[in-house]
Amino acid sequence: MAADTQSSTHPLLPPTSEDVRFDWLRLLRSRRVGISTFYRLMAAHGSAAAALAALPDIAAAAGVSGYETCPEGVVAAELKAGRQARARLLCRGDPDYPAALLDLEDAPPLLWAMGEAGVTSRPMVALVGARNASSLGLRMAKSLARGLGEAGCVVVSGLARGIDAAAHGASLGTGTLAVMGGGVDVLYPSENSRLAEDIVHAGGLRLSEQPMGLAPQARHFPARNRLISGLAQAVVVVEAAPKSGSLITARCALDQGREVLAVPGHPFDSRAAG
């Protein structure tokens, strides 16, 4: 059950019933099933139900003994949590699934969404940058976000403190999209809880590929960053330290064929060294 690099661009029909959606989520949440393995299993077995039935034998052939798929109760609990939070589960192929992600090899089969999913049909530009941004950096992020909004673009960012928060706040009235590192219902950092709620109330969108209720961990953010860049036509970096998450987003954007732009910073300011 080793991971593979098969592209997710082969045709995949969206679920046609709640039972099929349940099986999709159960397959994706099963141990040792990542995104590429999910697509490989779907291509090989034709349905999530058939893939789930085949998994124990596949695991045994790979030397994994006692393998069990994700318990149905775990999936039912996640779906219940989604309903309680008024979140929607978007499956690849659904009308509201972000079309911008469809050309990514590692496009998530499933996304949790809170807010107005229709914003993803508009042009999107990502604004990312330092968490400990300078006052000038914050002013620049706000100005860029307002200008992009006035030009009809949705501003995409990661709801982190600093540049992300400034970009979201300045684009609340024109359209903003926050990609979460943890569950879409987990408001992190806590200082941005009000902002996260305002995004939904203002007609924006919060997205996550992580399970409901999952607290974000450091390993989740690089995966989150690839979605920020994947959703956008271009990524603008406003202050970034060396080895920062913003530079990971920029590298993802380049790998995905997106345009990358940077706001010049002072050469002696470590916050702009990246």
Side-chain angles (χ1 to χ4, degrees):
M1 296 179 65
D4 58 72
T5 57
Q6 180 170 331
S7 171
S8 66
T9 56
H10 61 76
L12 184 65
L13 297 177
T16 55
S17 69
E18 290 305 311
D19 287 343
V20 178
R21 293 168 75 85
F22 187 99
D23 289 340
W24 272 44
L25 186 57
R26 187 181 176 201
L27 178 61
L28 188 62
R29 298 291 186 248
S30 291
R31 186 164 59 100
R32 293 177 175 251
V33 178
I35 290 175
S36 61
T37 301
F38 176 94
Y39 287 121
R40 177 175 59 82
L41 290 169
M42 291 291 286
H45 299 280
S47 72
L52 285 164
L55 267 177
D57 289 340
I58 295 173
V64 180
S65 59
Y67 181 86
E68 295 182 359
T69 55
C70 181
E72 292 187 4
V74 172
V75 177
E78 182 174 350
L79 291 171
K80 180 180 179 181
R83 289 192 298 270
Q84 291 176 337
R86 296 185 179 180
R88 294 175 56 201
L89 187 63
L90 305 181
C91 300
R92 182 187 172 100
D94 285 345
D96 284 337
Y97 185 93
L101 297 178
L102 294 177
D103 64 346
L104 304 187
E105 290 189 350
D106 56 355
L110 299 163
L111 287 165
W112 280 108
M114 291 185 69
E116 179 50 62
V119 298
T120 63
S121 63
R122 294 167 51 194
M124 291 181 280
V125 174
L127 279 177
V128 297
R131 287 177 170 81
N132 62 333
S134 68
S135 60
L136 286 175
L138 294 173
R139 285 171 55 190
M140 176 58 72
K142 292 175 183 177
S143 177
L144 287 171
R146 283 193 293 266
L148 287 166
E150 291 168 358
C153 294
V154 172
V155 172
V156 182
S157 200
L159 201 61
R161 60 176 61 92
I163 296 299
D164 288 20
H168 287 307
S171 56
L172 282 174
T174 53
T176 193
L177 192 163
V179 186
M180 318 283 283
V184 74
D185 57 332
V186 179
L187 306 185
Y188 176 88
S190 58
E191 66 198 66
N192 287 345
S193 295
R194 177 63 181 273
L195 176 59
E197 294 172 353
D198 288 345
I199 288 172
V200 173
H201 295 154
L205 182 66
R206 301 202 314 254
L207 278 181
S208 177
E209 63 181 326
Q210 301 298 340
M212 298 293 298
L214 180 71
Q217 301 176 26
R219 61 187 175 86
H220 296 143
F221 289 103
R224 183 275 309 266
N225 293 346
R226 91 188 191 288
L227 296 182
I228 293 175
S229 57
L231 286 162
Q233 294 175 306
V235 173
V236 182
V237 181
V238 184
E239 296 186 343
K243 300 181 181 180
S244 64
S246 299
L247 295 190
I248 294 176
T249 306
R251 284 193 291 271
C252 289
L254 292 174
D255 292 341
Q256 294 163 344
R258 274 51 169 173
E259 189 171 359
V260 178
L261 305 97
V263 176
H266 194 283
F268 290 156
D269 190 341
S270 61
R271 290 170 294 196

